[in-house]
Structures are given as C-alpha cells and as structure tokens.
Amino acid sequence: MIRAATWAALVLLVAAPLVIVFGMGFGTPIAGVPPVIPPFGAAGWQGSFEAWSLLLADNFYLDTLLRSLRLATVTAALCLALGFGMALGIASAAPRRQALLLALVLLPFWTGSVLRMAAWVGLLRDGGWINAVLMQAGLITEPLPLLYSEGAMLVGMVHGYLPFAVLPLTAALTKRDLRLEEAAADLGAGRATVFLTVTLPLAAPAAAAAFLLVFIPAAGEVVIPEVLGAPDSMLIGRAIWGEFFQTRDWPQAAALSTALLALLLIPMALYQRLSVVR
Amino acid sequence: MKRAFLALGLGFLWAPVLLMAAYAFSESRVPFQWGGFSTRWFTALAANERLLEAAWLSLRIAAASASLALLLGLALGWVLARHGHFAGRPIFGALAGAPLVLPEVVTGLALLLLFVGLQALTGWPAQRGAMTVWLAHSALGMAYVAVLVQARLASLDPALEEVAADLGASPLAVFGTVTLPLIVPSLAAGWLLAFTLSLDDVVLASFVSGPGATTLPVYLFSQLRLGMTPEANALAVVMLGGAAVLGGIAWVIRRPG
C-alpha cells in the first residue's frame, strides 16, 4: 500500500509535470488566460510545431544553449579545482575542527542566495567597494567595468555553487585510507606523484559527482546571470524565464525546457548512477 | 598548499558576507559606503511591513513544506531501501531522485503547468498562492529526505529489527520503537535541508505563486532589480545570526557526552 501511495506521489509531482512540459512544447500561444491552446483538445490533435521549428532554425536559441553549457562547464571546473583543495584541507584537519570548517563553508549560505548576489553587485558596480578601494589606492583613475560581465557572473556562480563541490569531496577524502598514500611515499613517490597516482584516482568518483552537482543546476541557473550577467549574453535559464514571464509564450518556454533536459539527460543519469545508494 | 586553498576558498565565500555585516552598521544611504556607525538600517528593517510579511509567509511555507517533504520522503526512502526489486523499480528510483538534478527553472515551469492543467480538469487549485508554493517546495524537499532516509536505512543493522520482531513486537511496533528512533538524525537533517531549500527559493516560488503570496526571496529579488538599500545588509546580519544560533543549538544537542 505504501508503495502504491509513493508511486502516486511520484507520478503526480514528478512524472506528470515533465510529460506536460513536453506536450506544452506543441501548444499554440494565444492572448488569454492561460495564454495557450493545448496540443490536444476535444477534437483531438490541434498542436503546432512552431516553437520547436523556431528553436531549431533560430541560431539565437542554439547559441544560448551552447553558451549555457560552456559557462556551466567553466563554473563546475573552477568549483572542482578550488573545492578539491579546500576538501583536502578540511580532511587533513583534526576531526574536531572538521565540523567547524564545514560549518564555515555552509554558514555564508544562510544569508540567502539573493542577498549574496546583492552583495556582489555592491562590490563590483562602478561606484562599488572594489572600484572605490582601487581608486583610493591610486591604482586606477576610471572605475573598471566589472559588473554585468561574464566574469562577474562566473564569480557569482562559483560563490553560489562552491559548497556543492566541497561537501561530496570532503566526505570522500575524509574516508580515504591514508596508509595508501604513506605506502606510495615509502616506496619513493614524490608528493606530486602520490597526489596524481593515489589521492586523485581514489577521489575520482566523488570528483565526478561534485562536477555534475555543480554543472547540472548551473546550466539552468536564472538568478545569478540575471543579477550579475551581461544583458546581451543570454543564457537558457534566463531565456526560459523571459519567454514565460515577459513574452508569455508558454510553448516556447516548454520547448526550450525540453531541449535543456535533453542535453542534460546524460549528465543527470551519470550523477544518479554515482550518487544513489543501491 | 592545502591550507592555502582552504584559506582562499573560505576567504572568497566569506568576503561579501563579512562586508555586508560590516556595512549593515553604516549610516550611509549607499550600500557599501561608510558613513559612520548607525543602527538605522535595523530600525528600517523592523518597520518594513512588506518585508516582514514576506518573511513570515516564507517561514510558514518552509516549515509546512519541510514537514510534508519529511512524510513523503520517509515513505519514498522506505520503499527504496526495503522493497527490494519490484516491477518498475528503476523508473521509481529515477523519479524519486529527479527533483535533485532537474534545473529549478524546468521544475518550476513543469509544476506550474501541472497546477494549470489540474485546475482546467478538476477546478482545483482554484488559485495559485501559498498552497501551490507549499506543494512545489514539498515536491523538491521530499527527494532530499528520501536520499538521506534511504542511506540511513541501508546502513542499519537488520538484527535489531529482527530481535524486536522475534520478541513479539508487531511490524508497526518494530517501526515505531526500533527503526524510527534509529533514523531520527537523518529525518532531522532532511527536515532542516528541506526547510532551508524552501526558505531560499526564488525560481519555483516565482513560477507557481500567484498575486498576494510573495515569499521573502521573491520580494528581495524584485527589490534587487530596483536597486538595494543597506536594509539588505541588515537583513543579512539577522539571517546569519539566526543561522548561527540554530547551528549552535544543533551543535550542543549533537555533541556526544
């Protein structure tokens, strides 16, 4: 009975919404509430392929998708590199201090994602803190155009997603058997060799999980690019948001969502394989 | 080398937060500009009724959705850990884990279309608002609870439950007196995680909410587009203080001995 109930919850809250998104990609936008004619009506099929043909024919959407994947890759790589170093540092601390260090990683999160992005705006804008400090120091005379750029967006993304990389890496690195590294060192391996041939391979599954745990949500991120990114470099999350809230073109938003999901299908399946306890 | 990475990472994570905390006490009307010590932004915060209303709504939705997520996630984790291989098990597992990996913009759009479709078919939900945000956040949170519960159940010693059953406890009594107490830490962690996710969510709430039900992150996001006042810095201090107090309590409770 409990299995039937959980099936019902999953079908209603997870499967059905996704199926509806897929179907909505073949709807027709109208001026009304809701602003759409569904692809199936009383008379049967009444759908259109307009949203999908626009998506596939217009380079704007394809460029947007590719740019999103590229930025998500850079974000995930940066988070992985910095997160790996941090996780090694936490794992090599005394057990009592590990909890404190993890708390220090997580606590900034509690200010909330919107407020943290507001802080970056305050730091990076033309009259902001960083420019003011640099001008006071006499290093620059004109404010640097830091905000609303790809760089500002990457700073925000790494700031937002870094803990997602640190947590799985710390879990894996604290559990590793230190004797393996000692044995390698005893047999004459240098520190770099020990790291590359023992530590890194041991942590590879966790590193892959950490990369995906950042990459997948970053690919569809809305808030950070909206607040910090350049207005002309459109990302897919913002595009879906805009089609829905501004243009009120639900079929286009649904088709873009379906395309994003299709591109993320392999990373999502990989992540589930790496993380799910079976 | 490791230490340097750790210091660099923590410095990066904390720099904007510490600056917010410092400038929350600045007199200046411009955020991040020093104008002498003042607590006027905390006073302004306490008088901002729209913000307080949004914060109160957010807290209620977060508590309610974490609780529903706890129930649903417990059931999901139980089936995943204890029902072995049943027909459709791979699909069941994929659906249970899907909310963890779906981009939030897709989840938001999908749940909105579900609510619109349900309304067209059944007339319910008659309007979108706190109730639909509650359901959306529960759908997200249940996946996190399920993962934690499943992992905990899989690591339990089956002998404990067997002993209770052998001594005559009914399955319900075994669950209530043996299993449940053993998984309480994961349930607490899951509830807190679902609570946090709900409290910080902009995207799902923007999609599935209606007029009159503005959560705190949605309110702040709209304010951010208009330009932020130093009130935001004061709010960050309040949130950080609340989190530190909660974290301290959890630390004291969990400390062995």
Side-chain angles (χ1 to χ4, degrees):
Chain A
M1 196 197 76
I2 190 167
R3 203 196 296 167
T6 46
W7 264 120
L10 287 180
V11 167
L12 178 70
L13 291 173
V14 184
L18 292 176
V19 172
I20 299 173
V21 168
F22 178 75
M24 181 57 69
F26 302 98
T28 315
I30 53 165
V33 181
V36 71
I37 302 170
F40 289 99
W45 171 257
Q46 53 184 21
S48 106
F49 295 94
E50 193 124 334
W52 276 100
S53 54
L54 188 62
L55 194 166
L56 295 170
D58 192 333
N59 280 338
F60 174 77
Y61 291 121
L62 295 178
D63 287 349
T64 300
L65 276 165
L66 288 178
R67 189 181 297 119
S68 302
L69 295 183
R70 179 171 60 78
L71 276 164
T73 308
V74 177
T75 303
L78 288 171
C79 285
L80 180 59
L82 186 54
F84 204 102
M86 292 174 69
L88 270 180
I90 296 173
S92 62
R96 271 197 79 82
R97 287 190 58 193
Q98 284 178 5
L100 178 72
L101 288 169
L102 272 179
L104 282 177
V105 171
L106 290 176
L107 202 55
F109 251 59
W110 266 84
T111 50
S113 52
V114 180
L115 288 183
R116 278 181 297 135
M117 291 312 123
W120 282 113
V121 172
L123 295 178
L124 295 171
R125 71 198 161 78
D126 282 359
W129 193 83
I130 291 175
N131 271 318
V133 168
L134 289 176
M135 279 162 85
Q136 287 262 305
L139 291 171
I140 53 171
T141 48
E142 292 284 301
L144 300 170
L146 300 170
L147 191 57
Y148 307 128
S149 65
E150 210 167 282
M153 186 162 69
L154 275 175
V155 166
M157 297 273 262
V158 174
H159 196 250
Y161 285 111
L162 187 56
F164 289 78
V166 174
L167 290 183
L169 288 168
T170 306
L173 288 172
T174 21
K175 272 188 290 187
R176 80 192 195 278
D177 190 344
L178 288 171
R179 286 174 304 179
L180 294 170
E181 288 167 17
E182 280 163 23
D186 288 347
L187 292 171
R191 288 175 71 172
T193 316
V194 172
F195 180 78
L196 288 174
T197 59
V198 181
T199 317
L200 210 52
L202 279 177
F211 182 92
L212 293 169
L213 199 53
V214 175
F215 175 83
I216 297 165
E221 174 65 37
V222 177
V223 174
I224 300 170
E226 179 82 28
V227 176
L228 300 173
D232 58 335
S233 99
M234 189 47 87
L235 292 182
I236 191 66
R238 276 176 89 186
I240 295 171
W241 182 277
E243 293 294 351
F244 181 83
F245 287 104
Q246 278 118 47
T247 324
R248 285 177 74 75
D249 187 341
W250 290 13
Q252 197 65 56
L256 290 173
S257 298
T258 309
L260 175 62
L261 278 191
L263 290 173
L264 291 180
L265 213 52
I266 291 169
M268 290 194 297
L270 267 179
Y271 176 74
Q272 286 211 337
R273 278 195 80 86
L274 283 167
S275 66
V276 170
V277 190
R278 35 195 74 236
Chain B
M1 183 73 172
K2 298 172 211 166
R3 291 249 170 102
F5 265 108
L6 190 54
L8 180 73
L10 286 177
F12 175 62
L13 284 175
W14 277 92
V17 175
L18 290 177
L19 281 165
M20 272 197 281
Y23 284 92
F25 296 95
S26 165
E27 169 75 41
S28 171
R29 187 164 276 286
V30 183
F32 300 102
Q33 195 178 78
W34 191 250
F37 181 85
S38 154
T39 52
R40 65 182 278 207
W41 300 111
F42 289 90
T43 321
L45 192 65
N48 187 337
E49 270 179 34
R50 285 192 58 201
L51 185 144
L52 293 178
E53 216 168 276
W56 176 231
L57 180 70
S58 272
L59 284 171
R60 281 180 297 162
I61 290 179
S65 58
S67 305
L68 182 58
L70 186 77
L71 287 178
L72 294 171
L74 174 59
L76 282 176
W78 178 267
V79 171
L80 283 168
R82 292 295 168 84
H83 279 227
H85 289 276
F86 51 88
R89 156 82 211 224
I91 299 174
F92 189 94
L95 287 178
L100 300 171
V101 289
L102 287 171
E104 50 190 351
V105 65
V106 176
T107 311
L109 179 65
L111 286 169
L112 170 86
L113 294 179
L114 171 78
F115 292 135
V116 171
L118 275 178
Q119 189 185 17
L121 287 176
T122 68
W124 181 93
Q127 55 178 18
R128 293 189 293 280
M131 157 108 85
T132 43
V133 179
W134 169 58
L135 286 173
H137 285 176
S138 303
L140 180 65
M142 73 177 184
Y144 287 83
V145 178
V147 168
L148 291 168
V149 167
Q150 184 197 1
R152 181 74 183 158
L153 282 173
S155 72
L156 288 186
D157 184 353
L160 295 169
E161 288 169 335
E162 283 162 17
V163 167
D166 287 350
L167 292 172
S170 68
L172 203 62
V174 173
F175 180 78
T177 58
V178 180
T179 319
L180 199 58
L182 285 171
I183 61 172
V184 157
S186 330
L187 292 177
W191 191 92
L192 209 59
L193 194 57
F195 182 82
T196 315
L197 287 168
S198 168
L199 205 57
D200 195 32
D201 166 68
V202 177
V203 176
L204 292 189
S206 295
F207 272 102
V208 305
S209 188
T214 307
T215 61
L216 183 62
V218 172
Y219 170 79
L220 291 173
F221 190 43
S222 69
Q223 291 300 297
L224 183 54
R225 286 166 162 169
L226 304 172
M228 216 74 168
T229 66
E231 256 177 65
N233 293 338
L235 181 62
V237 172
V238 173
M239 308 255 282
L240 214 53
V245 168
L246 282 179
I249 293 172
W251 177 270
V252 170
I253 291 174
R254 278 189 48 206
R255 199 166 52 181

